[in-house]
Every structure is written in structure tokens, then in C-alpha cells.
Amino acid sequence: MSTAETPAALGARGAEESVRYSAVVAVQVRREMGARKMSAAALADVLGCGVQTAQRKVRGDVAFTLDEVHDLALHFAVPVSTLAPETAVAA
């Protein structure tokens, strides 16, 4: 860690990367939903949440949890890496 990278700066950078990554996951989920013509109501059923929460998640306003990504991967019958690719965020 350089002197310019204070813990606060590192935390801010981590938060920024998290926001970008959650947006990538949302895009991948929307892609899988589109391929299956899946509605937000059906997504909400899979996630066990309300329709408004599901809509906020697919818009990227609220991040999917790791458990939700896992559950969706099982539902879509795809590897978790399809929804949460390792190379989504540049180092």
C-alpha cells in the first residue's frame, strides 16, 4: 500500500469495484432471464423476495447475494461463473 492509498481510499476503491461487479452480475442475470423469457415475478419466486426487490436487483440498484447467484445458477442450469465471471473487474 503506497502512502497515497489510505485505508479510506482503499475502501472507496473496493466499493467502486463492488458496484461495477454487481452491475456485471445484473447484466448476466438479465441475459439468462431474457433467454428464458423469465419475468421479474418468476425471478422473485426463485429468490424468495418481492417483485420490486427482484426488479431492483436486475437493474443493478441492489446487489445479488452470493447465495442468490448460486440459487439462480442452479435454476438456470448454468455454472456460477456464467452469472459471476471472474474476469468481470479489471485489476
Side-chain angles (χ1 to χ4, degrees):
M1 172 169 80
S2 73
T3 55
E5 291 186 308
T6 64
L10 289 172
R13 186 177 72 208
E16 180 181 313
E17 288 175 358
S18 175
V19 169
R20 287 195 321 246
Y21 193 73
S22 64
V24 169
V25 173
V27 167
Q28 295 303 108
V29 170
R30 284 194 308 269
R31 181 174 291 148
E32 293 299 323
M33 288 175 67
R36 292 160 179 78
K37 296 181 179 24
M38 183 181 194
S39 68
L43 177 68
D45 286 342
V46 172
L47 297 177
C49 67
V51 175
Q52 288 182 333
T53 300
Q55 290 170 332
R56 293 182 70 211
K57 288 178 179 282
V58 296
R59 281 195 312 262
D61 296 340
V62 175
F64 287 94
T65 67
L66 184 56
D67 287 338
E68 289 170 335
V69 172
H70 177 261
D71 292 347
L72 287 171
L74 290 174
H75 179 79
F76 294 140
V78 298
V80 169
S81 61
T82 297
L83 302 178
E86 289 184 39
T87 58
V89 178

